Amino acid sequence: MVDDWRISDRVVHIQKSAIHEMTRLSKEIDDVAFLSWAKPTSDTPEHIKKAAIDAIKNGKVGGYSENKGLLELRKEISKKLKKYNSIDSVPSQLIVTIGAVEGLSAAIMALIDPGDEVILPSPTYSTHIRQVVLASGKPVLVPTIEEEKFDLDLDAIRKSVTNKTKAIMYCSPSNPTGTVFSEKTLRKLADIALENDIMVITDEAYEYFTYDKNKHFSIGSIPEMKTNTVSCFTFTKSYAMTGWRIGYLHADESLIPQISKAHIPFAICATVVSQYAALAALKGSQDCIKDFRNHYLSARNLMCKRLDEIDSIFDYQKPQGSYLMFPKILLKEGNDSTTFCKKLLIDAKVSTTPGIAFGPTGEKHLRLSFCVTEEMINKAFERMERYFKQ
Ligand SMILES: Cc1ncc(COP(=O)(O)O)c(C=O)c1O
């Protein structure tokens, strides 16, 4: 921990991100095979870029928008939520945010008092843990069931509820495990939330990327959950818009002014040029989503096949969604995933993410990302095969 009187306790207690550390190290090495990125490698579709350029040329982006975002955009989001997520909404229940991450941060700041407990299924997206700590809340990490494809352990979640529990926060499809929590499971989670007056905060960043028979389900579509849920979404993954920093959240109308009180000091409003790009994304052809999904599906199948060929090194659960997977390292060197991944990077030139970055239950694992080209996957696995044979 840094001993520096200038830094707040809140920030000092946040651990340095292993993801950023690996990215920094990877940059120091030539010709790395990257399986560590969780961002789409495709570029943003042309019609979306063009809409942004037109908005700039037409002088629409020089000022702030309404804090909650352009009304025209919120109307389109409302249609999308109805069509795709079965969530009934009106624009006054929406805030356009700087990616999903700012929406999640604003929601946490609005809901969590110092000392409040937030249940997080573990392993989970490490940013969620940091968001809770930044709000001076207490993350309560409840292990998922690895043998059941990292599914929620509902009994353990129920047992973890205390009189300090304020919220349950999860991402489905999951980063890092690729799990898609089923409608049946999420309905049971909703029962726990309703019985105990607990909020549910969702991160649905990978909503469109599910495979086989797995379907994305939004807990916010359950009518009884209307007042208990803040659902966060993003354009980052669906439309390959990582750098545009644009997303949105849906919550009960009475919560929106309160969440806005956190959103405004962070952002005032989401970046206006990106709001016009997002509008074009929703109004235009949705074929890009289909294309990305098909690519990720064949990349997932390839990665699983390549992992089967080195089954004495890794065991894995086949991802049901997202573009990430979380194999278990069978070698004893994997007990320290950070050292294992650093060695893999330096000695085999393959960049992965140590499982410990996703909470203590992530140790002995590593995260692999399949949002890359098939050549990249093959290159990485050829190198790993050679490395582990030595
Ligand atoms: C689960 C999850 N949520 C949110 C994000 C970031 O979303 P955004 O770019 O919309 O802030 C990521 C990025 O990797 C993610 O994996």
Side-chain angles (χ1 to χ4, degrees):
M1 209 167 76
V2 188
D3 181 17
D4 186 335
W5 62 268
R6 296 169 302 171
I7 313 298
S8 71
D9 280 352
R10 222 181 297 112
V11 166
V12 142
H13 284 108
I14 295 180
Q15 279 172 10
K16 216 165 126 194
S17 160
I19 300 178
H20 296 147
E21 171 70 1
M22 286 299 284
T23 310
R24 190 191 59 75
L25 264 179
S26 303
K27 284 192 181 142
E28 290 172 6
I29 298 170
D30 270 348
D31 185 34
V32 170
F34 278 99
L35 299 181
S36 51
W37 285 332
K39 69 180 172 68
T41 38
S42 335
D43 195 10
T44 309
E46 284 307 316
H47 68 281
I48 299 176
K49 293 198 274 192
K50 183 172 177 308
I53 293 166
D54 290 348
I56 294 171
K57 284 190 179 153
N58 294 330
K60 289 179 167 176
V61 307
Y64 297 128
S65 69
E66 212 185 309
N67 301 128
K68 286 186 284 194
L70 297 166
L71 180 60
E72 206 184 344
L73 174 57
R74 283 182 289 134
K75 281 184 179 165
E76 278 312 307
I77 292 171
S78 192
K79 284 190 217 162
K80 177 266 175 186
L81 285 176
K82 175 78 188 157
K83 187 169 169 199
Y84 189 72
N85 306 90
S86 303
I87 295 178
D88 284 319
S89 69
V90 287
S92 51
Q93 296 168 336
L94 302 170
I95 302 178
V96 181
T97 56
I98 312 271
V101 157
E102 191 256 323
L104 291 160
S105 294
I108 289 279
M109 289 309 278
L111 301 178
I112 302 304
D113 274 322
D116 280 352
E117 294 175 3
V118 179
I119 292 178
L120 301 143
S122 177
T124 194
Y125 182 43
S126 48
T127 300
H128 294 170
I129 304 173
R130 294 196 173 87
Q131 286 167 327
V132 173
V133 174
L134 262 182
S136 302
K138 183 176 167 212
V140 176
L141 301 175
V142 178
T144 51
I145 310 170
E146 178 161 4
E147 310 74 57
E148 291 173 22
K149 295 194 185 299
F150 296 99
D151 204 0
L152 291 183
D153 186 340
L154 291 164
D155 286 338
I157 290 177
R158 198 183 285 279
K159 283 187 194 133
S160 304
V161 173
T162 71
N163 59 5
K164 290 229 166 237
T165 308
K166 187 66 186 287
I168 300 170
M169 184 181 191
Y170 68 83
C171 49
S172 176
S174 160
N175 177 0
T177 62
T179 311
V180 177
F181 301 139
S182 69
E183 175 173 347
K184 195 170 153 202
T185 299
L186 290 176
R187 285 191 181 274
K188 287 185 189 155
L189 187 72
D191 289 342
I192 298 176
L194 290 168
E195 281 159 23
N196 295 284
D197 285 335
I198 295 171
M199 292 298 299
V200 173
I201 303 165
T202 72
D203 178 345
E204 305 183 37
Y206 299 96
E207 58 180 325
Y208 287 105
F209 305 133
T210 63
Y211 316 116
D212 314 322
K213 292 207 171 80
N214 300 289
K215 290 215 164 44
H216 177 67
F217 178 72
S218 293
I219 204 167
S221 66
I222 301 174
E224 295 78 11
M225 286 298 286
K226 205 171 155 341
T227 50
N228 282 48
T229 310
V230 181
S231 314
C232 299
F233 302 88
T234 180
F235 291 85
T236 284
K237 318 284 176 190
S238 322
Y239 302 95
M241 291 177 69
T242 311
W244 298 79
R245 312 303 308 123
I246 190 87
Y248 53 97
L249 65 79
H250 170 260
D252 187 38
E253 199 152 344
S254 62
L255 286 175
I256 293 292
Q258 305 302 328
I259 300 176
S260 292
K261 286 190 208 164
H263 166 66
I264 294 170
F266 284 146
I268 299 185
C269 66
T271 316
V272 178
V273 66
S274 299
Q275 294 194 49
Y276 281 103
L279 187 58
L282 289 178
K283 282 185 149 176
S285 160
Q286 303 299 298
D287 286 353
C288 58
I289 297 180
K290 229 184 283 166
D291 294 344
F292 294 149
R293 184 196 162 275
N294 290 343
H295 169 64
Y296 300 146
L297 174 61
S298 55
R300 178 203 68 166
N301 292 344
L302 173 65
M303 190 170 270
C304 291
K305 179 174 152 289
R306 298 296 312 236
L307 279 165
D308 288 337
E309 288 160 7
I310 45 172
D311 60 359
S312 57
I313 315 292
F314 299 113
D315 185 19
Y316 70 92
Q317 302 291 324
K318 193 172 188 179
Q320 304 162 313
S322 81
Y323 42 62
L324 302 157
M325 62 188 300
F326 206 59
K328 184 189 264 178
I329 310 164
L330 300 175
L331 306 177
K332 74 169 185 326
E333 293 84 341
N335 289 350
D336 172 356
S337 61
T338 307
T339 308
F340 182 89
C341 291
K342 276 190 186 164
K343 267 180 81 68
L344 197 59
L345 174 63
I346 294 162
D347 298 341
K349 294 195 178 189
V350 177
S351 175
T352 58
T353 308
I356 189 72
F358 305 93
T361 47
E363 194 52 297
K364 299 190 184 150
H365 293 74
L366 82 180
R367 189 188 70 179
L368 303 179
S369 163
F370 47 92
C371 62
V372 291
T373 60
E374 302 205 340
E375 293 80 65
M376 184 71 90
I377 294 174
N378 284 325
K379 181 164 145 180
F381 276 83
E382 273 147 33
R383 289 179 180 185
M384 285 199 279
E385 277 172 12
R386 248 180 283 134
Y387 173 70
F388 290 118
K389 247 187 219 152
Q390 284 168 16

